[in-house]
Amino acid sequence: MAAKQPPPLMKKHSQTDLVSRLKTRKILGVGGEDDDGEVHRSKISQVLGNEIKFAVREPLGLRVWQFVSAVLFSGIAIMALAFPDQLYDVVFDGAEVTSKTPIRLYGGALLSISLIMWNALYTAEKVIIRWTLLTEACYFGVQCLVVTASLAETGLVSLGVLLLLASRLLFVTISIYYYYQVGRRPKKV
């Protein structure tokens, strides 16, 4: 008896067989829209998520404001550390400095905050950007309160102090504006 030869195997090319590809994608659960209206191209992107969803849609001028803030914090910190007498003189118009230590401590704190500002300039994470903006707003707000309280205590009103207060109120407003703009949910298109 002669052994019967099995018929030759036909290879199925699933890449070219459209019906087979659609059935496979349907079984895997990819290719269709999910609850958020997103179409996933692969199971991996469906499981891991889409990184575009996490990208921050930055408000106009945010990076410029972050850069200006970092430069401002760094400049005042260096001035407070290196030249405490001159910084005090600029703000309080010739009032006598009793001790340089508090001004230098202030400079050290500002330098620490400025390092955070510089690092936030290079991040795309929404949470870090928002926390940095909130830190700025709180700092400027507290500075306004402290300067106002010292004005009430001493009664010395100068052009430098008034400019300082006005600029700090402006900076609080800008920081809070960007804080809310970064935190806003994007509109679905």
Side-chain angles (χ1 to χ4, degrees), residues 4-182:
K4 194 172 180 184
Q5 289 285 336
L9 292 174
M10 298 286 290
K11 285 188 175 180
K12 189 172 187 178
H13 298 285
S14 63
Q15 290 92 0
T16 58
D17 187 8
L18 184 61
V19 175
S20 174
R21 284 181 66 207
L22 289 175
K23 284 181 182 176
T24 304
R25 290 176 71 75
K26 189 172 185 175
I27 290 170
L28 287 173
V30 294
E33 287 188 8
D34 64 0
D35 295 338
D36 295 332
E38 293 181 19
V39 177
H40 296 282
R41 299 187 72 180
S42 69
K43 197 66 179 176
I44 293 173
S45 72
Q46 186 177 11
V47 171
L48 294 179
N50 192 355
E51 68 213 29
I52 295 170
K53 186 189 304 183
F54 301 111
V56 177
R57 186 175 166 273
E58 295 176 354
L60 189 63
L62 173 67
R63 294 300 178 173
V64 173
W65 173 246
Q66 286 181 306
F67 178 75
V68 167
S69 295
V71 168
L72 181 80
F73 274 78
S74 299
I76 294 174
I78 291 169
M79 191 170 175
L81 288 169
F83 312 108
D85 293 331
Q86 287 80 2
L87 180 67
Y88 195 83
D89 188 43
V90 165
V91 174
F92 294 105
D93 273 343
E96 188 65 31
V97 178
T98 56
S99 175
K100 294 179 183 180
T101 305
I103 299 170
R104 286 198 169 122
L105 286 172
Y106 169 72
L110 278 186
L111 190 62
S112 300
I113 294 173
S114 75
L115 292 175
I116 295 170
M117 300 296 166
W118 283 112
N119 284 323
L121 183 62
Y122 299 107
T123 188
E125 291 186 43
K126 190 168 149 176
V127 174
I128 293 174
I129 293 171
R130 290 191 80 208
W131 271 107
T132 320
L133 290 166
L134 186 62
T135 301
E136 279 181 66
C138 289
Y139 166 76
F140 290 133
V142 167
Q143 191 175 27
C144 282
L145 291 174
V146 168
V147 171
T148 305
S150 68
L151 279 179
E153 237 176 51
T154 60
L156 297 173
V157 178
S158 66
L159 182 62
V161 172
L162 292 177
L163 285 174
L164 178 75
L165 278 174
S167 65
R168 294 318 184 228
L169 288 173
L170 177 68
F171 295 161
V172 166
T173 306
I174 293 171
S175 295
I176 289 174
Y177 168 76
Y178 281 124
Y179 175 78
Y180 283 113
Q181 289 299 313
V182 171

